[in-house]
Amino acid sequence: MAGRILLTGGAGYIGSHTFLALRAAGYDPVILDDFSNANSDVPDRLAHISGAPVAVLRADIRDESRLRQIFADHDFDAVIHFAAKKAVAESVAKPLLYFDTNIGGLLTLTTVMAEHGCKTIVFSSSATVYGEPDETPTPETAPRRAINPYGQTKIMSEEILESMVKADPDWTVGILRYFNPAGAHPSGLIGENPRDIPNNLMPYIAKVAIGELPEIQVFGSDYDTPDGTGVRDYIHVEDLAQAHLLSLQSLLQKRKSHLVNIGSGQGYSVLEMVKAYSRACGRDLPYRIVDRRPGDVPIYCAKTGKAEEILGFRSQYDLDAICASSWRWISGQN
Ligand code: UFG
């Protein structure tokens, strides 16, 4: 067995796909989740796909005494820390909730990890730390700028982890700055399915495709981009899961921290996404151009060379594969 790994938020969208990648690579992943943003049937689905029981701990990462008990009961070799809140608009309305969960949670988790001599962590960061970048594709050296409390929590978390590494070289930290995760597992059994009206483009398009929502709203067509709509770097969640595996392996083997962008390096506009999804589901999806969404940036696209150089990571799946897997998942849900 390659090692026992705690996945906080492991029943969520990215955590569940990473669980499968870790198990396939011979690790012993354990899920910790409070199920505030994950379906309770995810562990059963993971067990079904991987053909083995799934260890699940229902807990809140801010519950220090519970975390102590969990670390005392298990000998974890590393943690992949997904558990956090991630809705930009909600973070503007409820900043304290975001600081409490994302920063308080990280502090509690790393304190308990250190007490138990577990000092290896992969952390979910985001391209949001670039604010509105001056340069695209954006390299990791671009300045960090927060444009909302969610972004602030990701920048602060990176800084906290960097200070920990400086103070104690036994800590090894992998910071992964995700661009726009999309797609679903090839089995069609796990994927992203927000309970409410989705904030993000891909799950919104998926709900229009299955007829749960009437039309896609395209937020602005007057950006300085080729067709005027926002451009993003969509990365297949299966690629993202692989990136976590490579990050973990690098930390455990080389004992050296890293901070890398995880994207495909390729940007697509909102209209290109609508077209690609229409191809996947076999009908032209209805859309309407509406006003810009406040706080949106025109383009996010990753410079990807550093992840390739340090982790050997390169995305494998293209846009059609992303849309096809999303459609397989969402169309099997009802
Ligand atoms: N968009 C629409 N209609 C929608 C939803 C989105 O036109 O209904 C547009 C947005 O204006 C943007 C693009 O689609 O141009 C992507 O928007 P998303 O909401 O899917 O994603 P964002 O890039 O705004 O944000 C995501 C994550 C953030 C993260 C950011 C940076 O939600 O947490 O990527 O990578 F910080």
Side-chain angles (χ1 to χ4, degrees), residues 11 31 35 39-48 52 54 56:
I31 291 175
F35 290 89
N39 285 331
S40 53
D41 65 356
V42 167
D44 285 345
R45 288 172 181 240
L46 294 174
H48 178 78
V54 171
V56 188

Side-chain angles (χ1 to χ4, degrees), residues 86-88 126-129 150 178-181 198-204 216-220 223 229-232 234 270 293 296-298 300:
K86 65 174 178 93
V88 171
S126 163
T128 196
V129 301
Y150 165 67
Y178 311 162
F179 279 65
N180 289 56
N199 298 307
N200 296 116
L201 181 66
M202 278 298 280
Y204 201 103
I216 299 148
Q217 298 184 46
V218 177
F219 295 147
Y223 285 107
T229 66
V231 169
R232 295 291 184 273
Y234 295 91
V270 177
R293 181 170 65 179
D296 270 353
V297 306
Y300 268 130

